[in-house]
């Protein structure tokens, strides 16, 4: 298992997998990322990140059933592992601690 430090896009993909629960496959992940970030997520880039997250032990994957609408191809579904959840909580805690030390910033109700 490689290190568990997360890059920004890795964190977004991991959060998206957690949010999609049992429907986290690559196309759905891309669609959800675009919906929430307003930026198009290229499928090839998402696949590379998913592979990296799996190598790090932050996600695990399994193949779903084949379907006729996909020409018999199976979807690969992703799930956040315990290690992935720990990494997300750590990233959230680091961000929050940094936001708290910015002088004059009040994030409560700022958006």
């Amino acid at each position: 298992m490689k290190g568990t430090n997360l890059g920004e896009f890795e964190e977004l993909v991991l959060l998206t997998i957690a949010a999609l629960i049992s429907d986290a496959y690559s196309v759905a992940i891309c669609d959800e990322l675009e919906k929430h970030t307003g930026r198009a997520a290229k499928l090839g880039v998402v696949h590379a990140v998913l592979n990296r997250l799996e190598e790090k032990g932050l996600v695990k994957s399994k193949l779903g059933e084949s379907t006729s609408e996909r020409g018999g191809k199976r979807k690969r579904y992703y799930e956040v592992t315990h290690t992935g959840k720990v990494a997300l909580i750590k990233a959230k805690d680091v961000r929050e601690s940094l936001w708290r030390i910015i002088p004059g910033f009040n994030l409560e109700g700022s958006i």
Side-chain angles (χ1 to χ4, degrees):
M1 176 175 75
K2 290 186 176 184
T4 56
N5 288 331
L6 291 175
E8 179 189 7
F9 194 64
E10 288 177 326
E11 183 179 353
L12 290 174
V13 170
L14 200 54
L15 286 166
T16 302
I17 293 168
L20 288 171
I21 308 169
S22 61
D23 200 33
Y25 63 97
S26 58
V27 173
I29 293 166
C30 287
D31 291 346
E32 199 70 13
L33 282 168
E34 186 170 351
K35 177 179 157 187
H36 289 279
T37 66
R39 301 184 320 215
K42 295 189 187 300
L43 193 56
V45 173
V46 169
H47 277 175
V49 169
L50 290 169
N51 289 335
R52 198 162 52 244
L53 291 172
E54 199 159 20
E55 287 174 7
K56 290 180 175 184
L58 304 178
V59 299
K60 60 183 178 181
S61 68
K62 65 179 180 189
L63 288 173
E65 298 298 318
S66 60
T67 60
S68 57
E69 62 263 8
R70 291 179 45 86
K73 292 174 77 177
R74 300 162 66 180
K75 291 179 185 175
R76 180 169 294 279
Y77 290 92
Y78 293 86
E79 178 182 339
V80 178
T81 63
H82 174 74
T83 305
K85 290 175 187 175
V86 170
L88 280 174
I89 291 167
K90 179 182 172 189
K92 180 180 180 280
D93 289 346
V94 168
R95 287 178 187 271
E96 286 177 350
S97 71
L98 287 168
W99 277 107
R100 281 193 297 273
I101 64 170
I102 299 173
F105 254 66
N106 179 1
L107 296 178
E108 299 296 318
S110 62
I111 296 178

